Structures are given as C-alpha cells and as structure tokens.
Amino acid sequence: MRKIVVHMSVSLDGFFEGPGGDLGWHLVDDELHRHFNAELRTMGGFLNGRRSYELMAEFWPTADRDPASTAPMVEFAGIWRDMPKIVYSRTLDAVDWNATVVREVVPEEVRRLKAEPGGDLVLGGADLLATFLRHDLVDEYRLYVHPVVLGEGRQLFPASGYRQPLRLTGTRTFGNGVVLLRHERARD
C-alpha cells in the first residue's frame, strides 16, 4: 500500500512560509537539492493544493532552460514535469504538466489511490494538509527543519486540536544545518 507523505520545509518555529509568502529563508543548496531529487523521483505522484501547484508551475516547467539553474535544479525540472500530479482545487479549470484537477478531497478516493501500485504520494500545501489530517489520511512526515526562527508567517500545522501519535524513523543533518525529521504513524 502506498503512503501519503508530507514532504515540507519548515522553520524551527514551525512556519512553512514567512510573511507575505516569503520562502527566501529556505537553505536549499546542491546537497539538499540532490537529496530532494533522490527522494522525489521514487514517488508515484504529487498531491497539491492550488496555491502549491501554481507556485511550482511558475518556475519548474522551464527551469532546465534557465542558464542560472544548477545541475540539481535542471534535474528536478524533469522530475516535476514527468511526475503525475493531482491538484485539489475548486477554482482551477485546467492544469498542465501531467496534472489533473480534482474538486474535493474524497477520503474513499484517496484510499483507492493509496491501494494502486506505484510509489508513495507526496502531499504539498498547508491547506490541503489540514484537509488530509481531518480525514486521517497522512501516513508519514518528512519535515526539513531549517535553522531559522521566523516569528511569523503561515504555520504548517493547523491549530485544530488534531492529534496523531508518531514514531521517529530517521534523521539526517545536512551541511547547511537543515535537519530532516522522518516520522510515521504509530500503529497499534
């Protein structure tokens, strides 16, 4: 069975965006980007909300043609374009780049997706995460904690009272100070 994996960067104080959507505090150097590429190329698809999809679609479809792009960025452009994507949106009518629009998160449909063969499914976007948490659909967290305190912005996890017991399955510290924390659902 495939898993739903949250794969996100956060500040030490739990923000995934700074004020005004600022992501300039992300410390994605070549080492970390190569790691992202190795992790994401094994996935079976990206599950994104509208905002996350639009943010990615602004840059990645043609990033490999940008002379300023590093080798890991060029590699990720191909991974992103080729990966099947489901975009959960009530407002988008059409999407490109191997993507499909789905209007609502239907738990039974997500469970059906999980039962299909293939790699795990990467979940991106805080609003979509909140919906998946409400439906108890998240299986694993791969949080990349960046060594910065933002003090404000958008928090990754909603203040909803949701509780999910987790089990630490791995850690990794990168040369730039980013720490990967891997947690899976604690099973009875």
Side-chain angles (χ1 to χ4, degrees):
M1 169 101 43
R2 301 196 291 184
K3 295 185 285 188
I4 303 293
V5 178
V6 175
H7 190 278
M8 296 283 289
S9 290
V10 296
S11 65
L12 185 62
D13 51 347
F15 295 100
F16 77 96
E17 284 182 348
D22 176 35
L23 301 176
W25 52 272
H26 285 199
L27 299 173
V28 182
D29 59 9
D30 283 353
E31 176 195 18
L32 185 57
H33 213 297
R34 280 191 299 272
H35 167 81
F36 286 163
N37 292 350
E39 292 275 311
L40 295 173
R41 94 166 39 86
T42 67
M43 298 296 172
F46 295 144
L47 309 177
N48 291 117
R50 179 193 54 82
R51 288 178 24 169
S52 294
Y53 171 79
E54 288 178 337
L55 181 66
M56 299 296 280
E58 283 178 16
F59 181 73
W60 290 110
T62 59
D64 52 353
R65 290 183 258 162
D66 184 340
S69 291
T70 64
M73 291 169 69
V74 168
E75 180 183 12
F76 182 72
I79 293 168
W80 188 85
R81 274 193 313 267
D82 294 344
M83 186 69 63
K85 291 169 270 308
I86 295 175
V87 182
Y88 291 91
S89 173
R90 293 182 194 105
T91 59
L92 286 177
D93 291 322
V95 289
D96 291 317
W97 315 110
N98 201 17
T100 303
V101 174
V102 173
R103 296 288 175 217
E104 299 286 335
V105 175
V106 178
E108 296 76 27
E109 287 298 310
V110 174
R111 289 184 188 95
R112 185 192 56 74
L113 271 175
K114 288 172 62 172
E116 291 178 0
D120 293 335
L121 302 167
V122 179
L123 181 67
D127 294 336
L128 188 59
L129 171 59
T131 301
F132 271 64
L133 288 174
R134 273 196 313 276
H135 294 296
D136 199 29
L137 295 169
V138 177
D139 302 295
E140 182 177 339
Y141 300 85
R142 297 178 192 173
L143 299 182
Y144 296 83
V145 182
H146 292 248
V148 61
V149 173
L150 296 178
E152 60 181 331
R154 286 190 68 203
Q155 292 206 329
L156 179 58
F157 294 100
S160 65
Y162 177 83
R163 181 179 286 185
Q164 183 179 57
L166 302 173
R167 180 176 53 88
L168 181 66
T169 59
T171 64
R172 177 174 173 184
T173 303
F174 295 89
N176 61 8
V178 172
V179 176
L180 164 61
L181 299 174
R182 286 180 78 143
H183 289 85
E184 291 183 352
R185 292 175 68 123
R187 303 288 180 192
D188 295 335

